[in-house]
Amino acid sequence: DVAGVARPLAAELSRRSKPRPGARALVPGCGRAYDALALARHGYTSVVAVDLSPAACEAAREELQASGGSAGGGGAWRVRYVGVVLDPTSVDALATAVPPRHPNVTGQQHLTLCFEPAAAELAAALPLLGTRCTLRVEAEASDSRGQAVTVALASPELADSLGAITAGGSGRRDSPHITLSTADGVEACYSNELVRREGVLRPRAAAPLLVTGKVAVAVEPPP
């Protein structure tokens, strides 16, 4: 812990202009999330912070809470989604098992547990940040605009905790899924609509595919 933003990152951000709209950043080994907060304040739309250490994840939660929910010149931060960041081997396995159908490939790096979570859903997610879990790919959904796969939790010991995230206090239940690809001009968040539509899900006929990753949240600074 260097008690602040890493000097190389701070120097690099000072030289760089604001990133393009929709730019995302991943911070592995995030520690107290100093670097993640710096990237969000610099203008990255989505920043995902993960760490192998439970103690580091707890420290990151404390730092986020201590930030008071504001960035730079003030204003509320927005949690874009609660999800699971996949391991590199899982990303490769998924790309092989379910090839993209559209020109814009998302990278298949995370699955969405809950999009734009309500307060109760976010509260349920915070204690789980950094927790490893296994998921089973169940079905593919695709149309002329996007493509995604739905997943089911294959870690029974986390069923109740993750169920509180996908349902929460909002009365709404999202379908946990991974966005795979989109058509030109279509944002990745379209998959949230896609997986809820009737008649678009096709169950996998092949052998079960298991993927693994860690629970994380993606945040974006105020406009």
Side-chain angles (χ1 to χ4, degrees):
D1 189 345
V2 297
V5 180
R7 289 182 180 179
L9 176 62
E12 184 64 24
L13 293 179
S14 70
R15 292 192 294 266
R16 290 194 175 208
S17 58
K18 296 293 184 182
R20 56 178 172 74
R24 299 180 294 176
L26 173 65
V27 185
C30 66
R32 290 192 66 91
Y34 297 127
D35 291 354
L37 288 167
L39 289 162
R41 288 172 177 145
H42 189 68
Y44 281 84
T45 301
S46 171
V47 180
V48 177
V50 295
D51 201 292
L52 293 172
S53 166
C57 291
E58 178 61 30
R61 285 192 288 270
E62 293 174 358
E63 190 65 27
L64 288 170
Q65 292 169 355
S67 73
S70 65
W77 282 32
R78 176 185 176 191
V79 177
R80 186 70 169 171
Y81 61 81
V82 177
V84 175
V85 177
L86 299 184
D87 300 329
T89 53
S90 292
V91 173
D92 293 342
L94 182 57
T96 299
V98 190
R101 298 177 181 271
H102 298 288
N104 301 310
V105 180
T106 63
Q108 306 162 326
Q109 295 178 347
H110 79 274
L111 68 93
T112 301
L113 289 171
C114 182
F115 184 68
E116 296 185 343
E121 295 157 340
L122 183 56
L126 288 177
L128 297 174
L129 292 183
T131 301
R132 178 173 293 280
C133 57
T134 301
L135 303 114
R136 182 177 59 256
V137 177
E138 295 210 314
E140 179 185 357
S142 65
D143 63 8
S144 62
R145 301 183 63 198
Q147 175 195 18
V149 290
T150 58
V151 299
L153 183 66
S155 298
E157 69 279 9
L158 296 176
D160 290 343
S161 298
L162 292 181
I165 298 172
T166 57
S170 64
R172 165 199 80 197
R173 180 170 289 276
D174 288 352
S175 296
H177 64 278
I178 304 170
T179 304
L180 301 183
S181 65
T182 61
D184 289 337
V186 179
E187 294 187 7
C189 62
Y190 169 69
S191 61
N192 296 285
E193 174 186 340
L194 175 64
V195 297
R196 296 191 191 106
R197 289 175 49 195
E198 297 288 340
V200 299
L201 287 177
R202 295 184 299 277
R204 278 179 51 81
L209 174 63
L210 298 179
V211 295
T212 58
K214 293 185 177 181
V215 179
V217 296
V219 299
E220 60 184 17

